[in-house]
């Protein structure tokens, strides 16, 4: 669960569901949705088997659904490359068409940009401290980064959060604002949006 305070995205909670079937995961997310009421909605790694969970969450249960409040991201899908600051499509100068990159590459750039600009906060969590520094990539034959696929669950969850924020700010169908109404506390204003 992420929240934004001004320009800073902060990881405030995480829950790992092991050995839960898809309906049980949907029920757990329904409870989390009620508890946290994330104004940014939900992002999901829908690569491979994650698409089944996305379908169940859109379908919902007992009158509850995340349809319209969830985005499933397929990391290995080729998507138009976009400027991480403006959202504008980046053209390939040799063809004049949008340059294509993987969704994982865009998500990684967004994550890197937030880290470099100190616009992201993580808790002191041993799993985060182990996964982020040990996550590596190599340059593949086509010149693109190829990321190691082990020990990266928290890195991928962070990528999903960055893509969700980016899509809400720069996407075509951005239905929710990146920042919610301001809350006042001792004449200071803080943005407490959650996603």
């Amino acid at each position: 669960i992420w929240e934004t305070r001004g320009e800073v995205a902060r990881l405030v909670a995480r829950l790992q569901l092991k050995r839960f079937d898809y309906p049980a995961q949907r029920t757990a997310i329904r409870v989390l949705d009620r508890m946290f009421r994330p104004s940014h909605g939900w992002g999901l790694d829908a690569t491979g088997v994650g698409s089944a969970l996305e379908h169940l969450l859109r379908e919902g249960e007992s009158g509850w659904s995340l349809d319209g409040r969830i985005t499933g991201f397929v990391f290995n899908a080729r998507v138009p490359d976009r400027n991480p600051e403006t959202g504008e499509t980046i053209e390939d100068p040799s063809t004049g068409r949008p340059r294509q990159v993987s969704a994982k590459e865009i998500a990684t750039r967004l994550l890197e940009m937030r880290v470099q600009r100190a616009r992201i906060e993580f808790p002191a969590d041993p799993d985060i401290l182990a996964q982020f520094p040990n996550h590596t990539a190599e340059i593949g034959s086509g010149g693109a980064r190829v990321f190691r696929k082990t020990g990266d669950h928290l890195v991928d969850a962070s990528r999903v959060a960055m893509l969700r924020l980016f899509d809400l700010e720069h996407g075509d169908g951005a239905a929710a604002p990146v920042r919610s109404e301001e809350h006042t506390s001792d004449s200071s204003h803080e943005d407490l949006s959650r996603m």
Side-chain angles (χ1 to χ4, degrees):
I1 304 290
W2 291 78
E3 70 179 14
T4 56
R5 292 177 181 241
E7 296 292 321
V8 178
R10 174 184 290 167
L11 177 62
V12 295
R14 75 180 176 97
L15 176 68
Q16 188 174 22
L17 303 175
K18 290 185 175 181
R19 293 180 290 283
F20 277 60
D21 64 12
Y22 294 129
Q25 289 180 45
R26 175 182 58 194
T27 300
I29 291 170
R30 179 181 181 175
V31 170
L32 290 169
D33 191 54
R34 276 197 213 140
M35 287 174 54
F36 287 98
R37 302 242 185 248
S39 63
H40 292 83
W42 294 85
L44 175 72
D45 178 354
T47 308
V49 297
S51 61
L53 179 58
E54 180 186 7
H55 174 76
L56 279 177
L57 291 168
R58 288 182 186 282
E59 182 182 272
E61 62 179 335
S62 304
W64 171 87
S65 168
L66 285 181
D67 196 30
R69 297 191 306 123
I70 188 168
T71 304
F73 299 100
V74 179
F75 281 151
N76 59 1
R78 304 296 288 175
V79 296
D81 197 359
R82 297 172 67 192
N83 181 312
E85 296 195 40
T86 66
E88 294 178 26
T89 301
I90 299 172
E91 289 187 0
D92 183 332
S94 62
T95 65
R97 287 185 259 161
R99 187 168 58 190
Q100 298 287 307
V101 295
S102 71
K104 192 169 208 168
E105 176 63 34
I106 290 178
T108 302
R109 286 189 213 151
L110 293 168
L111 191 54
E112 290 168 339
M113 186 175 76
R114 281 200 176 265
V115 168
Q116 291 166 355
R117 294 181 179 176
R119 292 185 180 161
I120 194 165
E121 293 179 1
F122 295 98
D125 180 318
D127 292 335
I128 291 171
L129 293 171
Q131 284 189 24
F132 272 84
N134 292 316
H135 188 57
T136 60
E138 297 176 357
I139 301 300
S141 60
R145 287 192 281 192
V146 178
F147 299 95
R148 191 179 77 174
K149 296 180 182 184
T150 57
D152 65 348
H153 296 298
L154 294 173
V155 178
D156 278 348
S158 300
R159 286 180 174 123
V160 166
M162 297 307 104
L163 283 172
R164 179 71 180 171
L165 276 173
F166 185 74
D167 272 4
L168 290 173
E169 189 172 45
H170 300 293
D172 294 333
V178 173
R179 295 180 182 91
S180 68
E181 63 187 64
E182 291 182 343
H183 300 273
T184 306
S185 171
D186 298 331
S187 71
S188 65
H189 298 283
E190 287 187 309
D191 181 13
L192 301 174
S193 304
R194 294 187 187 272
M195 69 170 224

